Amino acid sequence: MDERPVDAGALIHELEGHLLIEATRGEGRAEASRFTRQFEWLTDSQRAEVEERFAEEYVSLARLSWRRTVQRGAELRGEYEEAYRMLRRRLLSVWLFGVALISGAAVVAVSLARQ
């Protein structure tokens, strides 16, 4: 048996993925059935084949959409992280300038007080 500890988070993500795929397959089958109803002239075997192909294409398009969403999420994350780093640098610069200004004012005040 494997001695490695089970990563609960990874297991949950994998389970969610399987559930999402199965839900999408169910949606695809339902949409395929709805789609083929308008073609009354199809035989049962033709209808089944069209529904099968429709459902497969539905899942394929859903996966493509998910990949694009993940890719765009990663792009946005990079953009926001870069903006956050820039804001942190600006804040640090302003803070250092403020400390230097206050320190300089304190030195001037002390030297004036000694005179």
Side-chain angles (χ1 to χ4, degrees):
M1 197 157 177
D2 196 354
E3 297 294 325
R4 292 179 291 169
V6 174
D7 182 1
L11 188 61
I12 289 171
H13 288 301
E14 187 174 339
L15 181 60
E16 287 175 339
H18 287 294
L19 291 173
L20 182 60
I21 288 290
E22 282 307 310
T24 302
R25 283 187 179 131
E27 290 171 5
R29 285 189 294 270
E31 288 301 314
S33 177
R34 186 185 60 75
F35 176 74
T36 57
R37 269 188 250 137
Q38 62 186 325
F39 305 113
E40 297 173 2
W41 45 267
L42 289 172
T43 65
D44 288 342
S45 63
Q46 289 172 330
R47 184 179 314 279
E49 185 176 342
V50 169
E51 286 180 3
E52 173 84 20
R53 289 185 183 183
F54 186 102
E56 287 172 5
E57 189 64 23
Y58 187 92
V59 171
S60 176
L61 290 172
R63 283 183 173 166
L64 179 61
S65 175
W66 297 334
R67 286 186 188 113
R68 287 181 179 160
T69 300
V70 167
Q71 181 182 10
R72 183 61 183 141
E75 290 170 0
L76 286 173
R77 181 181 182 133
E79 291 172 16
Y80 284 119
E81 285 176 349
E82 180 57 35
Y84 178 71
R85 280 191 292 274
M86 186 174 62
L87 289 172
R88 282 180 51 190
R89 283 192 296 267
R90 285 183 185 172
L91 179 62
L92 180 61
S93 299
V94 168
W95 185 81
L96 289 173
F97 178 74
V99 167
L101 189 63
I102 291 171
S103 298
V107 168
V108 169
V110 167
S111 64
L112 288 176
R114 287 189 178 164
Q115 291 180 355

